[in-house]
Amino acid sequence: MSSNFPPATSSRNLEQLKTLLNQEGFRLTRQRQKILEIFRSLPEGDHLGAEEIYQTLTNAGETIGISTIYRALHLMVNMGLLRELDLAEGRKLYELATPSVHEHHHLVCVQCGAVQEFEETSMATVGVQEAERHGFALLNCQFTVYAVCPTCQGQLRSP
Ligand SMILES: [Zn+2]
Ligand SMILES: [Zn+2]
């Protein structure tokens, strides 16, 4: 048995990405790899926007343009490696696309943009039912709840 067996699914994701990128004629550039690494090191339940990735990479001494980051994110979404979330108006957030067992939904504060994840299987049940009823093949079922978080509610109430 090999002693340097890949420790986690993340290694498999990276191999998967390399294969996909090669198939599509894209190279897994060092910078794209860095972007993927940022997502893999994120605490669960965190989401990032292009600006935050730009900040993180710039702080780490990388010379990268924001448009390169947008292109890389777009590419990885198309590859099925990242999921694009249209949670806040005019601001797209990204997270690693996890297997369907980890599918979750989002509660979003419309004031400050805070995002809380939650799991609720009944949404997927409704999604499957509706898709089947109309003869659609279900790919993904995302539910987004727009609300005002406790902190922002406090600010609204204060004089
Ligand atoms: Zn999420
Ligand atoms: Zn808020």
Side-chain angles (χ1 to χ4, degrees):
M1 197 184 262
S2 171
S3 58
N4 45 26
F5 189 77
T9 51
S10 53
S11 310
R12 210 166 59 214
N13 283 343
L14 189 61
E15 283 314 305
Q16 206 178 33
L17 176 68
K18 280 178 181 166
T19 310
L20 283 165
L21 291 173
N22 286 335
Q23 278 170 4
E24 299 287 321
F26 291 108
R27 273 187 320 122
L28 180 61
T29 63
R30 201 177 51 86
Q31 291 182 327
R32 283 174 191 159
Q33 200 164 328
K34 280 230 154 74
I35 293 172
L36 197 66
E37 271 161 21
I38 292 172
F39 279 102
R40 280 158 54 194
S41 63
L42 268 190
E44 207 178 332
D46 270 20
H47 309 81
L48 286 181
E51 298 79 11
E52 287 154 310
I53 294 162
Y54 176 75
Q55 274 309 319
T56 306
L57 285 175
T58 306
N59 291 347
E62 287 288 321
T63 313
I64 188 166
I66 189 94
S67 56
T68 307
I69 292 170
Y70 278 116
R71 273 200 305 275
L73 289 173
H74 195 71
L75 176 77
M76 289 178 196
V77 169
N78 285 343
M79 303 276 107
L81 283 144
L82 294 181
R83 185 184 292 144
E84 187 180 85
L85 305 161
D86 238 332
L87 299 181
E89 189 108 359
R91 186 163 178 265
K92 287 189 162 66
L93 291 175
Y94 299 85
E95 66 185 2
L96 280 180
T98 47
S100 52
V101 279
H102 297 299
E103 250 170 41
H104 59 266
H105 308 283
H106 299 94
L107 192 59
V108 187
C109 175
V110 295
Q111 298 282 329
C112 69
V115 178
Q116 176 68 53
E117 293 187 338
F118 65 96
E119 285 184 39
E120 173 56 63
T121 51
S122 61
M123 256 67 101
T125 309
V126 174
V128 169
Q129 277 172 3
E130 286 304 308
E132 277 179 0
R133 201 156 68 86
H134 298 278
F136 283 56
L138 185 76
L139 295 177
N140 188 6
C141 184
Q142 289 278 315
F143 190 67
T144 307
V145 181
Y146 297 95
V148 180
C149 76
T151 311
C152 292
Q153 285 177 50
Q155 284 165 7
L156 289 177
R157 285 200 195 105
S158 60

